[in-house]
């Protein structure tokens, strides 16, 4: 990995992690804004690469969208400090939702994902969502967030149809899971943390697998001489990400649905369950085609996978497969 070799990248990666800590532990909104700005300025050097035009374009797009969201956020918190008797919650929430790539401000997210490496994709889908979501939990408009939750789950599914790029598919999957994360945030921060850790774990496995076999498009899964166990691993983790019952990804979604039903939020629960079913259908359609093409081999084309990485992926997939065992330790 380039990050482990390049000392400059490692420095910016440290600043990226440190800035999130500044943002979520600040005593004032201005301190939160400073943390978000440091986070933005540390992520830009990580994704920019002068030798790759797609990376440069992605870094420019990311800078522009995040700058607009930051300007809005700063303006609104200054207005909030000046005018005490006016409710700015929807506007402040909108600027934070734009920073994390939520609907209806999501249009930049898949386009930027398309120009990033798999490690940067992982950071953008997981770590970059932490500080905006924690700040959102401090001051949110509950009716507005409930509407955004449903919109996220629907748009994530609609955008996933007819995608040839795996990175864009993962981006829309992230938007879909963002609806679940927001609902977990409304319930409690503990459940949000549990959901976020499980989602990050599954996303890490997927991104690392795709990085290891170096594929970016769905049709590459059909043509390559992929190891059968790698295809099975991708299948397990896709279904776990979709939330199919025997897998680890179902556990966190089951907890969220349980709390939503206890609070009589049946319509939101219905939308979440139906959208998850459609998302699983999209994943199964990709996996089914990929497994059918297993017999289609090029004798002259080989993929060399180092054994230690191969065993690591299989071990992680085993954790994902046997994830429902953890449910026996949780009393709800």
């Amino acid at each position: 990995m380039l990050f482990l070799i390049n000392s400059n990248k490692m420095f910016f990666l440290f600043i990226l992690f440190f800035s999130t800590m500044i943002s979520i532990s600040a005593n004032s909104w201005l301190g939160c804004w400073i943390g978000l700005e440091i986070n933005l300025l540390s992520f830009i050097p990580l994704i920019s690469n002068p030798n790759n035009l797609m990376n440069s374009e992605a870094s420019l797009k990311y800078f522009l969208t995040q700058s607009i969201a930051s300007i809005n956020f700063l303006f609104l918190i200054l207005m909030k400090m000046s005018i005490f008797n006016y409710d700015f919650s929807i506007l402040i929430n909108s600027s934070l939702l734009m920073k994390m790539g939520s609907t209806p401000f999501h249009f930049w997210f898949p386009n930027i994902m398309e120009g990033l490496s798999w490690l940067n994709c992982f950071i953008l889908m997981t770590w970059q969502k932490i500080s905006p979501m924690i700040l959102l939990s401090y001051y949110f408009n509950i009716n507005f967030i409930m509407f955004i939750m449903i919109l996220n789950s629907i748009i994530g599914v609609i955008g996933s149809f007819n995608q040839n790029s795996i990175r864009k598919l993962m981006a829309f999957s992230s938007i879909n899971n963002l609806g679940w994360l927001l609902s977990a945030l409304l319930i409690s921060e503990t459940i949000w943390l549990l959901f976020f850790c499980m989602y990050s774990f599954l996303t890490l496995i997927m991104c690392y697998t795709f990085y290891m076999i170096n594929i970016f498009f769905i049709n590459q899964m059909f043509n390559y001489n992929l190891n059968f166990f790698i295809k099975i691993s991708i299948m397990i983790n896709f279904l776990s990400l979709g939330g199919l019952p025997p897998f680890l990804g179902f556990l966190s979604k089951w907890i969220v649905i349980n709390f939503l039903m206890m609070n009589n939020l049946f319509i939101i629960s219905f939308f979440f369950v139906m959208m998850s079913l459609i998302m699983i259908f999209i994943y199964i359609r990709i996996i089914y085609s990929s497994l059918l093409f297993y017999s289609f081999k090029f004798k002259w084309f080989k993929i060399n996978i180092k054994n230690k990485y191969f065993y690591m992926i299989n071990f992680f997939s085993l954790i994902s497969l046997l994830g429902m065992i953890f449910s026996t330790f949780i009393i709800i």
Side-chain angles (χ1 to χ4, degrees):
M1 290 229 184
L2 180 62
F3 282 23
L4 303 178
I5 300 168
N6 193 330
S7 58
N8 293 327
K9 297 279 186 184
M10 287 179 67
F11 171 73
F12 284 117
L13 196 64
F14 170 75
I15 297 295
L16 182 81
F17 295 148
F18 189 65
S19 63
T20 302
M21 301 305 170
I22 292 172
S23 189
I24 64 179
S25 60
N27 289 327
S28 66
W29 283 112
L30 206 60
C32 297
W33 174 78
I34 290 168
L36 289 171
E37 285 301 298
I38 297 170
N39 182 271
L40 163 64
L41 294 174
S42 60
F43 191 54
I44 295 291
L46 292 177
I47 60 178
S48 60
N49 183 3
N51 299 324
N52 190 337
L53 289 176
M54 287 188 73
N55 283 10
S56 303
E57 182 190 350
S59 58
L60 184 60
K61 284 180 181 176
Y62 185 77
F63 175 73
L64 290 173
T65 51
Q66 295 293 315
S67 298
I68 292 166
S70 295
I71 290 166
N72 287 340
F73 184 67
L74 179 62
F75 174 72
L76 290 165
I77 59 176
L78 291 175
M79 289 289 286
K80 181 66 181 170
M81 290 174 183
S82 306
I83 308 169
F84 295 104
N85 58 352
Y86 192 79
D87 186 20
F88 287 98
S89 59
I90 291 180
L91 295 172
I92 290 175
N93 289 355
S94 297
S95 59
L96 290 170
L97 289 169
M98 186 176 179
K99 285 194 82 69
M100 72 176 85
S102 172
T103 3
F105 316 103
H106 68 284
F107 296 101
W108 61 271
F109 192 67
N111 292 328
I112 288 172
M113 282 275 291
E114 187 65 22
L116 301 183
S117 66
W118 278 117
L119 183 58
N120 287 325
C121 284
F122 170 71
I123 294 171
L124 186 61
M125 284 190 288
T126 55
W127 189 266
Q128 293 300 89
K129 285 183 168 56
I130 293 175
S131 43
M133 293 196 78
I134 294 292
L135 298 186
L136 193 67
S137 69
Y138 295 157
Y139 185 55
F140 59 79
N141 186 305
I142 189 161
N143 294 322
F144 178 66
I145 294 299
M146 282 184 176
F147 172 69
I148 293 296
M149 280 156 42
I150 296 172
L151 206 60
N152 267 318
S153 63
I154 295 171
I155 296 297
V157 167
I158 292 171
S160 300
F161 277 105
N162 298 326
Q163 284 294 342
N164 189 36
S165 169
I166 297 176
R167 283 176 293 191
K168 281 191 176 179
L169 182 70
M170 292 294 288
F172 281 110
S173 171
S174 178
I175 291 168
N176 179 263
N177 278 282
L178 198 55
W180 290 88
L181 282 165
L182 289 172
S183 61
L185 196 65
L186 293 184
I187 297 162
S188 76
E189 287 193 2
T190 310
I191 293 173
W192 174 81
L193 187 61
L194 174 70
F195 195 107
F196 185 81
C197 288
M198 288 191 181
Y199 169 68
S200 300
F201 175 70
L202 295 171
T203 309
L204 176 64
I205 299 171
M206 296 299 294
C207 290
Y208 188 74
T209 307
F210 293 134
Y211 163 77
M212 186 179 69
I213 57 182
N214 196 26
I215 64 173
F216 296 98
F217 296 94
I218 289 168
N219 55 9
Q220 289 176 299
M221 292 173 65
F222 306 152
N223 297 336
Y224 276 12
N225 271 355
L226 286 183
N227 188 296
F228 186 69
F229 288 105
I230 290 288
K231 289 194 176 186
I232 293 293
S233 171
I234 291 170
M235 180 187 77
I236 288 170
N237 292 301
F238 259 143
L239 294 177
S240 188
L241 204 58
L244 200 66
F247 302 105
L248 181 65
F250 171 71
L251 175 60
S252 49
K253 292 190 176 184
W254 174 50
I255 293 168
V256 170
I257 286 290
N258 192 35
F259 275 94
L260 288 175
M261 297 292 279
M262 284 167 62
N263 290 302
N264 299 321
L265 297 170
F266 300 112
I267 296 174
I268 295 175
S269 305
F270 172 77
F271 268 106
F272 277 175
V273 171
M274 293 306 295
M275 293 304 118
S276 284
L277 284 172
I278 301 169
M279 205 73 193
I280 291 168
F281 164 73
I282 294 165
Y283 293 149
I284 287 174
R285 192 173 58 174
I286 298 164
I287 297 156
Y288 186 66
S289 305
S290 175
L291 289 172
L292 281 180
F293 274 92
Y294 177 63
S295 58
F296 182 62
K297 288 189 173 184
F298 293 123
K299 297 297 182 186
W300 45 267
F301 193 88
K302 297 288 181 187
I303 295 180
N304 294 318
I305 300 170
K306 293 181 180 178
N307 286 332
K308 59 178 179 180
Y309 299 134
F310 178 68
Y311 291 132
M312 191 186 299
I313 290 297
N314 285 335
F315 174 69
F316 285 151
S317 299
L318 184 67
I319 294 173
S320 182
L321 179 61
L322 303 176
M324 281 305 291
I325 293 173
F326 297 115
S327 65
T328 57
F329 301 107
I330 295 174
I331 301 170
I332 296 178

